[in-house]
Amino acid sequence: MIEKPLEQMGLRELRDIARRTMPAEAWHHFDGAAETKATFYRNPRAFRQYMFRQRIFHDITDPDIGIELFGHKLPIPAITAPVGSFSLIGKDAEREVAEGTDRAGAMMFVSQAAKFNPRDWRNASKSPFVFMAYMNRGREEVAQYAKLAQDLGFAAAGITMDTVRPVKIGDEVPLSTKDGKPRKGHKSSPKDIEWLKQQVSLPVIVKGIMSAEDAHDAVNAGADALVVSNHGGRILDFNRAALEVLPEVVAAVGAQVPVLLDSGIRSGGDIVKAIALGAKAVLLGRPVAWGVGAFGARGVERVFAILAEEMQRVLTMTGVACVADVSQSILVCDDPGGRWRR
Ligand SMILES: Cc1cc2nc3c(=O)[nH]c(=O)nc-3n(C[C@H](O)[C@H](O)[C@H](O)COP(=O)(O)O)c2cc1C
């Protein structure tokens, strides 16, 4: 089979190549989700119920898709998500993800569950980084890494708080990629947010919010930004899609803090839909894994380029000049239940 140059490939082609070339164990781990995968499939479906309102009579040809976040100018409102197990894809995968994200000029959230520590990430690239802790590692290690991240000039620090029960792949809880030990859940408390705020002077981000109540609690405890996320469907089967939850979180705390979203972003159009519903930016989990699995750092760079081109197409075709001008008025909801219409 003759393959096209990377510069002409779309995300689905990168996924197909990654599926063929990634170690089978890594593919299974990345493509996996909890139990029946109902949440995993619901995530992209939630995006598909929104259609765009096409507008052609305007002068917009080159919309500006850049944003500013935590004091950093980003060329696209898409960020590499924290993923603890990039190293399953290959021994250099963590460095390649950092390099590819850097080449794209993008921001990267890094997980405490990764093999790389904050210094390794910093050595691998000059991207703006955000350190994402897991409280089950214990306060001492979290404080040590968060302070190191601050000293290394990271843009923010945060906690992934939704692993009250550990990730599941089908019916199994996988072993930790970092140390091979069984994964355990942990209690989550707004007090952990207050505590982290005392350890660092960086903005503190809370990931794994899926309700207005938790959003209020996190912001009252001092969270400076939230990530609406169901962990890519890997924890609670039959959870709502992250996109379905976004409006209630934005209504609850959107006036106070930036609300980010992940879980199910698969196109530039999906990014525009998330922003139209109130997200400041989105995180990319599996798409970055496909990029690095297929072509290393170049593949990750290509993922961002694909999404940027798709976003520009959508903004041009809906008559929007820049990200700040994206609003619900460019969407029509095709939900047969008629839950929300323009
Ligand atoms: C293999 C894998 C490992 C992950 N590891 C972490 C992690 O260590 N910390 C974290 O906050 N989220 C982790 N996540 C969740 C991602 O940050 C993100 O929420 C999710 O992948 C977004 O969904 P998407 O893959 O549909 O883009 C992981 C996801 C995958 C697929």
Side-chain angles (χ1 to χ4, degrees):
M1 186 173 68
I2 301 170
E3 258 162 19
K4 319 178 197 173
L6 176 58
E7 295 66 37
Q8 291 171 20
M9 284 186 191
L11 193 57
R12 284 174 293 276
E13 286 162 301
L14 291 185
R15 181 181 185 276
D16 287 347
I17 293 169
R19 180 181 214 148
R20 291 202 304 270
T21 55
M22 260 161 77
E25 181 206 0
W27 178 263
H28 175 72
H29 183 72
F30 275 81
D31 201 49
E35 300 168 7
T36 71
K37 291 180 95 170
T39 309
F40 172 83
Y41 290 120
R42 193 170 178 97
N43 280 330
R45 243 196 1 245
F47 286 93
R48 278 187 222 124
Q49 70 185 353
Y50 291 101
M51 305 293 134
F52 295 113
R53 295 186 75 239
Q54 177 174 305
R55 299 286 305 277
I56 52 173
F57 295 133
H58 54 73
D59 297 329
I60 299 158
T61 52
D62 188 19
D64 179 3
I65 61 166
I67 60 157
E68 200 174 312
L69 190 64
F70 312 131
H72 289 267
K73 281 202 159 55
L74 306 179
I76 175 171
I79 296 166
T80 296
V83 167
S85 29
F86 280 132
S87 61
L88 287 181
I89 297 172
K91 66 176 174 31
D92 292 328
E94 290 185 334
R95 183 183 48 73
E96 288 168 347
V97 170
E99 270 179 31
T101 303
D102 190 12
R103 285 196 213 174
M107 177 176 269
M108 177 162 179
F109 281 34
V110 298
S111 168
Q112 190 175 354
K115 295 222 161 156
F116 267 15
N117 65 34
R119 192 175 300 283
D120 298 322
W121 291 116
R122 180 80 293 160
N123 290 339
S125 103
K126 55 182 186 337
S127 298
F129 284 113
V130 172
F131 173 70
M132 291 303 290
Y134 272 128
M135 292 312 298
N136 60 349
R137 302 267 160 189
R139 283 192 170 181
E140 205 175 314
E141 188 180 306
V142 171
Q144 184 197 336
Y145 277 178
K147 284 176 185 164
L148 176 60
Q150 175 165 290
D151 292 345
L152 292 166
F154 278 36
I159 319 177
T160 298
M161 301 195 81
D162 56 6
T163 37
V164 178
R165 290 281 175 158
V167 157
K168 256 181 142 181
I169 305 297
D171 295 317
E172 275 177 36
V173 175
L175 297 174
S176 153
T177 311
K178 187 169 185 163
D179 53 23
K181 292 190 182 149
R183 292 183 195 224
K184 290 206 178 80
H186 56 87
K187 282 190 185 160
S188 269
S189 164
K191 289 199 167 47
D192 294 325
I193 304 168
E194 289 168 14
W195 170 81
L196 185 58
K197 292 281 291 181
Q198 288 160 4
Q199 305 305 308
V200 289
S201 53
L202 295 172
V204 165
I205 300 167
V206 174
K207 177 168 178 280
I209 296 296
M210 284 291 285
S211 67
E213 295 89 331
D214 283 355
H216 271 302
D217 287 349
V219 171
N220 289 341
D224 297 290
L226 302 182
V227 186
V228 172
S229 167
N230 57 31
H231 217 107
R234 293 164 77 83
I235 301 178
L236 176 63
D237 203 11
F238 293 94
N239 207 340
R240 287 182 290 169
L243 192 76
E244 291 172 294
V245 174
L246 179 65
E248 79 175 58
V249 172
V250 169
V253 300
Q256 291 159 268
V257 298
V259 177
L260 314 183
L261 171 131
D262 75 25
S263 301
I265 297 283
R266 298 293 180 266
S267 69
D270 291 346
I271 302 175
V272 175
K273 291 174 188 179
I275 291 171
L277 294 174
K280 172 83 183 171
V282 303
L283 277 59
L284 311 167
R286 295 179 182 86
V288 168
W290 302 335
V292 74
F295 291 104
R298 286 172 59 231
V300 174
E301 182 183 14
R302 178 68 192 148
V303 167
F304 283 94
I306 291 165
L307 298 177
E309 195 282 322
E310 290 172 351
M311 266 192 84
Q312 269 154 344
R313 172 177 290 260
V314 171
L315 294 194
T316 306
M317 292 303 297
T318 52
V320 179
C322 64
V323 170
D325 289 349
V326 173
S327 74
Q328 281 195 18
S329 65
I330 66 168
L331 297 184
V332 174
C333 185
D334 193 29
D335 174 3
R339 238 176 332 124
W340 183 83
R341 286 179 193 282
R342 185 170 169 272

